[in-house]
């Protein structure tokens, strides 16, 4: 999920972790400055309710810079 600034990506990843989801922030130097993002990975062990819960958590996570 493209986020932009590194601090924003870290804050969002932290908020999602607090909500129980492992969604790491991908930051420079892995991506260009200003191109930070959240990496959402799923597996066959995730069922529809888990994915829906993640989508809800993302939707309710404040997307403003702290």
């Amino acid at each position: 999920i493209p986020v932009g600034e590194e601090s924003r990506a870290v804050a969002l990843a932290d908020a999602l972790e607090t909500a129980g989801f492992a969604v790491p922030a991908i930051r420079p130097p892995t991506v260009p400055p200003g191109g930070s993002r959240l990496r959402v990975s799923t597996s066959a062990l995730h069922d529809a309710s888990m994915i829906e819960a993640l989508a809800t958590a993302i939707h309710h996570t404040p997307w403003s810079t702290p």
Side-chain angles (χ1 to χ4, degrees), residues 16-28:
L16 290 169
E17 183 177 19
T18 298
F21 299 98
V23 180
I26 308 303
R27 306 172 282 165

Side-chain angles (χ1 to χ4, degrees), residues 12-58:
L12 293 168
D14 289 346
L16 290 169
E17 183 177 19
T18 298
F21 299 98
V23 180
I26 308 303
R27 306 172 282 165
T30 306
V31 295
S36 294
R37 59 201 66 217
L38 300 177
R39 177 173 289 153
V40 176
S41 300
T42 61
S43 77
L45 298 176
H46 295 108
D47 61 30
S49 67
M50 294 171 163
I51 294 170
E52 288 174 18
L54 173 59
T56 299
I58 291 170

